[in-house]
Amino acid sequence: MANFTPHKASKTIVDFMATGEVYWNEDCGESRTYLVLEKGSNDLLGFFTLGITSLEWTSVKNSEFWQGLSGKKQKHLSRHMHNKDGFIGVYTIGELARRNDVGRERLPGETLLQEALARILEARQIAGGRFVLVDSRKKLYERLYSKAGFQKVAEKESPNGPDDGIFFISMLPIENLLKSSD
């Protein structure tokens, strides 16, 4: 992965691959990185990383996303939660990248995202789960994640520093994926 040059990648993604953090995260069980190879070869086109984390439930309840839901939908998504004032476990999509010389036509971001979400649905069959969380540049959120149904929960400064712009933290209820896969 050290020779992989990601397309329009952030410093975080470059560091993730170049420093070997990808292997450390795998060894520690922190996340899993999935490689997208050219059909019939070992040519690495892109990758995505999945993990789990916890999120303070009050940050969800106070978000624009949550406030935009009807009371019925809020009740439905939070039903049977044992710890409504604490933290909840969520799946995360960490890195999502394609090689620099691989264009959108050859490997659309939507394809990478669909593959990531398919793996999350598989994990949900084993371990349950309600939400998928991602933080991304505002532009990527608008171009990819919002179109897939993710809703902005919060904003934060880029992990690459203030010159990189604002990052959006967004969530997708897994039940939305279940409805679209029926």
Side-chain angles (χ1 to χ4, degrees):
M1 295 256 312
N3 296 330
F4 179 88
T5 305
H7 181 72
K8 296 183 182 178
S10 68
K11 182 181 181 323
T12 307
I13 291 177
V14 172
D15 289 349
F16 178 73
M17 296 179 312
T19 62
E21 187 176 339
V22 63
Y23 304 112
W24 181 85
N25 286 344
E26 287 277 337
D27 289 344
C28 294
E30 185 76 19
S31 63
R32 291 287 177 252
T33 298
Y34 295 82
L35 306 179
V36 179
L37 305 175
E38 182 77 60
K39 193 171 188 168
S41 77
N42 288 330
D43 192 17
L44 178 60
L45 302 178
F47 73 95
F48 57 87
T49 300
L50 304 178
I52 54 174
T53 192
S54 62
L55 183 66
E56 191 172 11
W57 183 243
T58 55
S59 67
V60 175
K61 292 192 311 186
N62 295 329
S63 70
E64 291 175 31
F65 154 68
W66 193 258
Q67 299 307 314
L69 298 174
S70 69
K72 183 178 178 180
K73 188 68 169 176
Q74 289 176 1
K75 187 175 181 179
H76 172 72
L77 287 174
S78 63
R79 76 183 182 283
H80 305 298
M81 289 187 99
H82 300 292
N83 193 358
K84 292 185 182 182
D85 294 322
F87 288 81
I88 61 167
V90 295
Y91 295 99
T92 61
I93 299 175
E95 281 56 339
L96 187 100
R98 65 177 168 255
R99 199 176 65 217
N100 194 34
D101 62 339
V102 175
R104 209 177 284 169
E105 312 76 38
R106 189 169 171 199
L107 181 60
E110 294 83 2
T111 299
L112 280 170
L113 180 57
Q114 288 170 1
E115 286 298 318
L117 293 173
R119 299 300 76 76
I120 289 171
L121 284 175
E122 289 173 2
R124 185 183 183 277
Q125 292 298 314
I126 298 167
R130 293 179 193 228
F131 298 100
V132 180
L133 182 78
V134 68
D135 64 325
S136 64
R137 289 183 168 119
K138 178 182 176 184
K139 185 176 179 179
L140 185 58
Y141 168 79
E142 292 168 346
R143 191 175 60 232
L144 180 65
Y145 293 111
S146 68
K147 291 178 181 176
F150 283 79
Q151 298 290 316
K152 184 175 85 166
V153 175
E155 295 180 9
K156 72 175 190 175
E157 185 177 295
S158 167
N160 307 312
D163 295 339
D164 195 34
I166 297 292
F167 267 48
F168 282 6
I169 300 169
S170 57
M171 280 178 66
L172 175 70
I174 290 179
E175 74 172 21
N176 292 7
L177 296 174
L178 297 171
K179 291 176 186 174
S180 66
S181 67
D182 290 340

